[in-house]
């Protein structure tokens, strides 16, 4: 009943930039925290960055100073601006969010979307 659609990935050279977007749609009453995750081949999915409804952010140490997470609450969309990309940033990037579907429900995460591939060449 809630879908997440990620976009903006691609192939970029080391040192380049990309901006990812993730739009939530469907039965949404309100959204609490939103986050970006990534999964590289053979590795577990990891949290990259997270932003609360109030705009507080936190980042994985590996991306601090290079990535910036932001959100547009009117569009139910979260963004990830990535600069100074490194080959080790290569992964499928996913978003997720704590969503409340109606007045009587609590916040809970939603099914993962397809993700968007980011490939950084050296």
């Amino acid at each position: 009943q809630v879908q997440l659609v990620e976009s903006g990935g691609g192939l970029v050279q080391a040192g380049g930039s990309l901006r990812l977007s993730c739009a939530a749609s469907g039965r949404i009453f309100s959204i609490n925290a939103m986050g970006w995750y990534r999964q590289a081949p053979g590795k577990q999915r990891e949290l990259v960055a997270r932003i609360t409804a109030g705009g507080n952010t936190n980042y994985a140490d590996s991306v601090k100073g290079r990535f910036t997470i932001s959100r547009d609450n009117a569009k139910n969309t979260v963004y990830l601006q990535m600069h100074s990309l490194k080959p080790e940033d290569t992964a499928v990037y996913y978003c997720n969010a704590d969503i409340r579907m109606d007045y009587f429900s609590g916040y809970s995460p939603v099914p993962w979307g397809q993700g968007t591939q980011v490939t950084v060449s050296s």
Side-chain angles (χ1 to χ4, degrees):
Q1 291 182 325
V2 177
Q3 288 187 323
L4 299 170
V5 178
E6 302 95 341
S7 62
L11 173 64
V12 64
Q13 288 188 332
S17 299
L18 284 173
R19 187 184 191 226
L20 307 183
S21 299
C22 172
S25 63
R27 187 179 175 186
I28 299 172
F29 180 75
S30 65
I31 302 177
N32 197 0
M34 305 182 81
W36 282 98
Y37 301 75
R38 67 186 180 187
Q39 187 167 18
K43 295 188 177 181
Q44 289 190 331
R45 193 169 300 181
E46 62 175 355
L47 176 65
V48 175
R50 184 174 178 272
I51 184 168
T52 68
N56 293 317
T57 59
N58 63 281
Y59 298 89
D61 288 343
S62 59
V63 307
K64 281 180 182 176
R66 300 188 298 121
F67 291 9
T68 301
I69 188 170
S70 61
R71 62 191 285 172
D72 184 334
N73 292 329
K75 296 181 180 180
N76 293 334
T77 299
V78 62
Y79 305 97
L80 187 67
Q81 179 67 57
M82 306 185 293
H83 293 299
S84 303
L85 282 161
K86 304 175 181 180
E88 50 264 44
D89 295 318
T90 296
V92 179
Y93 284 70
Y94 302 86
C95 70
N96 212 307
D98 292 329
I99 292 178
R100 188 178 175 190
M101 289 195 288
D102 56 55
Y103 179 81
F104 302 99
S105 301
Y107 288 101
S108 60
V110 298
W112 296 97
Q114 294 297 309
T116 186
Q117 176 71 48
V118 171
T119 303
V120 185
S121 63
S122 57

